[in-house]
Amino acid sequence: MMGRLKRVVWLLALTLLRIDHASADQYPHLLEITSANFSDSLTVIFKDYDRVLMEFYAHWCPVCKAFQPTYAEIAAHLGSRGSATPRIAVARVDCPDNPDICDKFEIRSYPTMFLGTAAQFSAYELKNVVRIDPSPRSKENTIAAISKELGGVPLDPGTLSSSDSGNGDTTTNSNAKMKSSLGIKNNSGDPSGHLRILKPLNFQQSVDLNDIEGAVVKSWEYLTAPSLLRGMDTRKALEDWIDLLADSHPVERCRLGAENAAEVLISAWPEGNEHAALPAALHDVKICGDTEFNDWTGCKGSLPSSRGYTCALWQLFHTLAARLPENDALSGARWMTAIRGFAKNFFQCSDCARNFVKHASTLAADKVQTKREAVLWMWATHNLVNARLKLEEEEASAGDPEYPKIQWPPEELCPTCSSPTSSSQDNNSVEKSWNEEAVFKFLVNFYSAGGSNNDSTTASNVRGKSGSVKINTAMNGGAIKQGNFYSSWEFAFILVSGIGGGTYFMLKTSGQYNFRKSLNRRM
C-alpha cells in the first residue's frame, strides 16, 4: 500500500513538473499546473511552502512568451533560497488548456500573477490571493512587489549551482533524481526539444481559409469565458463582432454560425443586462457549425509556441476588411468599430490589446469609413507592428526562425507594390516606397478568399457546403480558380478505392499471397 502511494506521489510530482514549451530541466523551480492535478498538487507538492506565486498565461500570447525567461529567473531566485523562510513556490497555468481554473480566478488578461497560500489557491479563494502587477514586469520589480506584500521581508537569493539545480532545495534535488531514474533527459539547443530546419521563405499565394476558420473557432472558445462576458460595452462589442462575421466571413458555415450566435445573444444576454444571463448558451454555440478545423496550416510555426492563433487573427482582420462591400460608404467604419471592440474586450494578451486599441483610437483610425480605407489601414498597422516586433525579436533572440517578420506584401508576391529606397533593399525594411493602388488591389485579391461581397461568388464556392472538400484547386496570383467539387464521402470513396486498387495489384503480382481466396473468404 505504501509503495503504491509513493508511486502515485512521484508520478504526481512528475506531471506537475511538465512545462509545455520548454524542458522542465531548464527551469527546475518553475512548476506547470493543470486541471487534472491542480488541487491535489497544491496540497501535496506545496504543503511545506509559505506562499505560492502563480502565473496565469496563454501559450499563444506574445507578451507571455516574452515574459517566460523573466518568470523563470524569478522562479530560480526564489527557489535558490532553499529552506529559508518565507518559502515561496512558483507555478503557472496555461489558461487556454485549463479554462476551468482560470474562469474560477476570473482571469481577463495575460499574463496575470497572484500570490497566496497553497490552501487559498486550492480552495479558489480569489478574494484572499493578491495580484502581483509590477510595471515593468522585471525580475527585480516582481521580487520587490512580493516582498512588499509579505511586510517588507527580504527575499535575498541563495547560491545556485552551475546547473541551477537549487542547492539546499531538497524538493528540486529529489525531482531531478526522480526524472533521471525515469530516463528523462535534458534537451539541448532549442528549449522546445524540436530540431530546427531552416528553409527559404515560401509565400502562400492566397489567404489560408482553414486558418481563417480556426481563428473564429478558437476566438469564440476564448471570448465566451464567463469572466469576459461582463458589462454593456462588452455586450455591444460582442454584437458588433458577431455581425461582422455574419456579413463578411468567407466560409459559409461560419457566417451561418454567426447568424445563429446573434439569435442566441438576444436570449443569453438580453440588452441592458450587465452580465450574460446564460454564458454557457453562448459558449455552446457552434460558431462555424461542424467545423473541419483541427490545426493551423498556413499559420503553423516551426516551433510549438510560435505563430498559430495570433497569426490567424491578423489574417482574419485582413480578410474581413477585404470582403467589405464596395457600395457601402460606412462599411469600413463598422469594421473598425468591431475589431477595436474585439481587441479591447476579448483579446486577452494585455499589452497586445492595449497597443492595438491605442493605435485603433487615433485620428487616422477614426477617419476610416470605406472598404478601401479599412484595407489600407489594416495593412499599414500590421507592417508597423511587424517592424517593431522584428527589432524586439532580434534583440531577444526570439521569434520563429523560419518566419521572420517582414514588410508585406513582399516583392515575390507583388512586384509592383513597392520599390526599395536608397536605404532599403529587402523585405524586412519599413523604408519602402509603396504604390497604394497596387497594394490595395493585391490585398483584396489575396484576402478576399474567392471574391468580395460584391461578387456572385460565395463561401460555398470556396469551401463547399456542409463540409464539402474542394479538389484540384489552383492558385494564380492570389485568385482561387474554380475546380471540381466532391463531398467528403465521395472523396473518401475515391481515396479508399485508389488505395485498395493499388494494394490489390501489388499483392496479385507478388505471388506471395492467395489474395483472391482471402478476398472471397472475407466476402
Side-chain angles (χ1 to χ4, degrees):
M1 181 68 181
M2 287 299 295
R4 180 176 297 179
L5 180 60
K6 286 182 179 179
R7 184 180 180 186
V8 169
V9 172
W10 275 34
L11 288 175
L12 178 62
L14 180 61
T15 302
L16 187 64
L17 282 167
R18 178 186 60 83
I19 295 182
D20 278 339
H21 301 308
S23 166
D25 296 301
Q26 280 198 316
Y27 309 126
H29 301 283
L30 176 54
L31 311 182
E32 188 86 8
I33 304 282
T34 67
S35 299
N37 60 29
F38 184 78
S39 295
D40 290 342
S41 299
L42 284 164
T43 57
V44 174
I45 303 297
F46 296 147
K47 65 178 181 178
D48 295 327
Y49 286 86
D50 300 295
R51 294 289 190 278
V52 177
L53 178 66
M54 188 87 70
E55 178 201 15
F56 298 88
Y57 76 103
H59 57 263
W60 53 259
C61 169
V63 174
C64 301
K65 297 174 191 177
F67 182 57
Q68 178 178 319
T70 300
Y71 196 62
E73 290 179 4
I74 295 168
H77 178 107
L78 296 174
S80 72
R81 292 169 46 77
S83 58
T85 58
R87 293 191 72 197
I88 303 173
V90 183
R92 65 179 194 164
V93 178
D94 186 351
C95 288
D97 289 346
N98 304 279
D100 52 328
I101 297 176
C102 299
D103 285 346
K104 291 178 181 178
F105 285 101
E106 299 183 4
I107 304 302
R108 297 178 60 86
S109 62
Y110 310 129
T112 293
M113 289 183 288
F114 283 141
L115 181 71
T117 66
Q120 289 168 344
F121 278 110
S122 181
Y124 300 100
E125 296 179 6
L126 178 60
K127 293 181 180 180
N128 293 323
V129 296
V130 178
R131 181 162 184 165
I132 302 296
D133 191 21
S135 181
R137 295 186 197 92
S138 64
K139 169 190 166 184
E140 293 73 19
N141 288 350
T142 304
I143 298 296
I146 296 172
S147 174
K148 181 179 179 181
E149 290 297 335
L150 296 178
V153 59
L155 296 174
D156 298 327
T159 303
L160 293 173
S161 69
S162 60
S163 60
D164 188 24
S165 60
N167 287 346
D169 187 341
T170 57
T171 302
T172 301
N173 288 330
S174 63
N175 283 331
K177 292 178 181 178
M178 174 179 62
K179 288 185 287 181
S180 176
S181 67
L182 293 176
I184 299 177
K185 300 179 180 179
N186 291 341
N187 291 323
S188 59
D190 175 17
S192 68
H194 292 257
L195 179 64
R196 300 187 184 189
I197 303 175
L198 299 181
K199 300 179 296 184
L201 291 178
N202 183 22
F203 299 111
Q204 294 174 228
Q205 298 296 310
S206 180
V207 69
D208 191 311
L209 287 178
N210 172 73
D211 292 346
I212 300 303
E213 183 169 335
V216 175
V217 171
K218 299 306 290 186
S219 64
W220 188 261
E221 176 185 329
Y222 301 151
L223 69 84
T224 51
S227 59
L228 296 184
L229 301 179
R230 299 177 179 181
M232 286 180 281
D233 288 345
T234 301
R235 188 197 182 280
K236 181 61 168 63
L238 181 58
E239 183 179 23
D240 291 340
W241 179 246
I242 290 172
D243 288 345
L244 181 61
L245 295 178
D247 290 341
S248 298
H249 200 282
V251 180
E252 185 178 42
R253 57 174 163 260
C254 297
R255 293 203 304 272
L256 295 176
E259 291 174 4
N260 179 45
E263 295 177 2
V264 173
L265 179 65
I266 296 173
S267 57
W269 195 350
E271 193 169 359
N273 283 21
E274 186 67 24
H275 304 287
L278 300 170
L282 284 168
H283 187 75
D284 291 343
V285 168
K286 293 184 177 181
I287 194 64
C288 285
D290 294 326
T291 180
E292 295 178 355
F293 174 76
N294 182 51
D295 196 6
W296 311 111
T297 47
C299 278
K300 191 175 184 65
S302 66
L303 302 175
S305 61
S306 64
R307 308 186 81 221
Y309 177 58
T310 50
C311 164
L313 271 184
W314 280 110
Q315 301 301 304
L316 177 61
F317 289 170
H318 282 290
T319 300
L320 294 174
R323 288 179 54 80
L324 293 172
E326 296 275 7
N327 56 2
D328 185 342
L330 295 176
S331 62
R334 286 193 293 274
W335 171 89
M336 177 65 75
T337 298
I339 66 163
R340 184 164 49 207
F342 175 90
K344 181 179 180 180
N345 293 276
F346 305 120
F347 190 51
Q348 292 172 276
C349 176
S350 55
D351 294 0
C352 308
R354 182 168 54 252
N355 291 335
F356 187 91
V357 171
K358 181 179 179 180
H359 191 69
S361 302
T362 61
L363 182 61
D366 289 339
K367 290 182 177 179
V368 170
Q369 301 288 310
T370 65
K371 169 182 178 174
R372 178 188 175 89
E373 290 166 346
V375 168
L376 291 177
W377 183 90
M378 189 72 244
W379 159 73
T381 297
H382 199 170
N383 273 347
L384 282 175
V385 172
N386 270 356
R388 175 175 56 81
L389 290 179
K390 176 179 179 291
L391 294 175
E392 292 178 359
E393 289 179 355
E394 288 178 351
E395 182 178 347
S397 297
D400 193 316
E402 293 188 19
Y403 299 94
K405 300 293 187 294
I406 66 169
Q407 295 298 289
W408 186 264
E411 184 180 355
E412 291 86 342
L413 288 182
C414 185
T416 62
C417 284
S418 65
S419 57
T421 64
S422 57
S423 59
S424 166
Q425 298 297 328
D426 56 47
N427 288 325
N428 293 326
S429 176
V430 73
E431 300 177 10
K432 286 187 173 186
S433 176
W434 294 99
N435 180 343
E436 286 196 352
E437 185 60 32
V439 168
F440 174 70
K441 290 180 179 179
F442 168 82
L443 294 173
V444 171
N445 195 32
F446 185 92
Y447 289 110
S448 62
S452 69
N453 281 349
N454 300 305
D455 304 328
S456 59
T457 304
T458 64
S460 60
N461 296 124
V462 181
R463 292 282 287 187
K465 295 183 179 180
S466 302
S468 296
V469 180
K470 182 176 178 182
I471 309 299
N472 295 333
T473 300
M475 302 294 186
N476 182 17
I480 301 180
K481 293 183 178 180
Q482 300 302 314
N484 299 318
F485 288 84
Y486 300 96
S487 70
S488 299
W489 285 107
E490 290 170 332
F491 177 67
F493 176 78
I494 293 171
L495 182 63
V496 171
S497 298
I499 294 173
T503 303
Y504 173 81
F505 177 78
M506 288 187 295
L507 291 176
K508 184 176 180 180
T509 56
S510 68
Q512 297 179 20
Y513 301 94
N514 188 347
F515 184 66
R516 184 180 301 277
K517 183 177 180 179
S518 175
L519 181 63
N520 290 336
R521 185 163 55 246
R522 288 196 298 271
M523 296 177 64

